[in-house]
Amino acid sequence: MEPLAGASGGTSEGSGGTSEEELRARRSLSFGSRAAEYAEHRPDYPGAAVDWALEPVRDRRPLRVLDLAAGTGKLTASLVGRADEVTAVEPHPQMRAELGRRVSGVVALDGTAERIPLPDGSVDAVLVAQAFHWFDAQPALREIARVLAPGGVLTAIWNLEDDRVEWVAALSRIQEIGPSYEKHHTRGLPVHESFAPSETRDFPHSHHRTIDSLVRTVGTYSLALIRDPEDRATLFERIRSYLRSRPETAGGEFDFPLVTHAVRMVRR
């Protein structure tokens, strides 16, 4: 998605609105106050996607991995045990604090994609979950290339609502703010001289939810966070009403269909 100059926040989806730059700045700053809800209600990432992200460097020892724009550690937790050294970089202090509460054994640093507080060639892999579209892409790619060892890998990952499923597509039309597969599965990474051409892979995934917890997940989307309270409440009631009407979701607990979209590039 579109770059956000000078701001590389820990998460999220699409764009639009007032002054484009002003709206994106508001959205990028909206997550910190809801860090606990984000950690509780956003989905994790499938192990197969994480393994694919690390595949080009999986035999390196020690394997050093950076989770960039790590948010509350939704991906970071999956890296612990897969890598010998895991470092997280996240600019929002509330998100970073939540990460520290939920993921042990990880150094969490203040920084952005455009200014990574690590030495040259100090990591073998950089992973970015649900965040690359917030970066100022070319400066971020230069900085990522700097901290990567030769032959290291950059992988960006997004969880997308699988609106190839009919009832999910209808929900996407009602809420209008979610990261949907049909809109965003072509999302990639810009060409950069330091990296070989990108590879893309999709992974099936799901998020175990109830009507209430799915509404809470939608409430962590940036375009929901910046709405005025009355408008947000109206949106949430529309979503609840629709989910109560569907046999797939009306009975209590259900698995919400997702696709995890991953794009990786190897440093030349």
Side-chain angles (χ1 to χ4, degrees):
M1 307 227 355
E2 47 303 280
L4 176 62
S8 45
T11 31
S12 209
E13 8 353 271
S15 169
T18 55
S19 147
E20 183 81 9
E21 187 174 342
E22 180 181 304
L23 178 60
R24 284 180 59 78
R26 285 179 61 206
R27 291 177 61 196
S28 74
L29 295 171
S30 66
F31 302 106
S33 63
R34 300 297 179 91
E37 291 96 326
Y38 191 100
E40 183 176 355
H41 293 294
R42 282 293 183 108
D44 61 6
Y45 298 89
V50 181
D51 290 338
W52 184 81
L54 297 174
E55 187 178 54
V57 294
R58 64 185 176 188
D59 295 328
R60 295 191 182 190
R61 292 295 179 272
L63 178 57
R64 306 159 301 169
V65 178
L66 166 62
D67 186 0
L68 181 58
T72 63
K74 301 299 293 189
L75 176 64
T76 319
S78 297
L79 297 173
V80 175
R82 284 181 165 87
D84 301 291
E85 300 173 15
V86 179
T87 303
V89 168
E90 166 57 41
H92 293 304
Q94 300 100 318
M95 303 287 271
R96 204 165 55 247
E98 194 68 30
L99 187 156
R101 284 190 285 271
R102 291 175 179 266
V103 186
S104 59
V106 172
V107 175
L109 303 175
D110 181 11
T112 69
E114 300 80 16
R115 293 187 179 182
I116 301 172
L118 293 176
D120 295 359
S122 58
V123 296
D124 302 296
V126 175
L127 273 64
V128 182
Q130 221 76 12
F132 194 91
H133 52 284
W134 293 118
F135 298 170
D136 191 356
Q138 291 302 318
L141 287 170
R142 285 196 299 272
E143 186 70 343
I144 291 167
R146 180 187 67 77
V147 302
L148 274 174
V153 64
L154 162 65
T155 304
I157 299 175
W158 290 270
N159 279 326
L160 306 174
E161 297 176 356
D162 191 356
D163 55 351
R164 298 171 299 179
V165 178
E166 182 273 330
W167 72 266
V168 178
L171 175 62
S172 294
R173 290 191 293 272
I174 290 168
Q175 66 182 30
E176 298 180 336
I177 59 174
S180 72
Y181 181 77
E182 290 295 341
K183 288 181 182 177
H184 301 311
H185 73 279
T186 57
R187 176 185 274 160
L189 295 174
V191 173
H192 190 275
E193 62 184 3
S194 296
F195 292 91
S198 63
E199 305 171 78
T200 301
R201 183 77 61 87
D202 289 338
F203 298 86
H205 194 29
S206 63
H207 194 198
H208 197 64
R209 298 279 83 189
T210 63
I211 290 175
D212 184 60
S213 63
L214 183 55
V215 170
R216 288 175 179 268
T217 300
V218 174
T220 69
Y221 296 163
S222 61
L223 283 173
L225 290 171
I226 65 172
R227 291 188 177 209
D228 67 72
E230 184 177 349
D231 187 32
R232 189 163 56 241
T234 299
L235 170 66
F236 291 168
E237 185 49 42
R238 285 204 311 269
I239 294 171
R240 284 193 176 92
S241 178
Y242 170 74
L243 294 173
R244 287 193 293 263
S245 76
R246 294 295 310 204
E248 299 90 347
T249 56
E253 298 181 349
F254 55 90
D255 289 324
F256 186 65
L258 301 172
V259 179
T260 300
H261 179 66
V263 187
R264 74 183 183 196
M265 300 195 301
V266 172
R267 190 192 190 290
R268 298 186 190 276

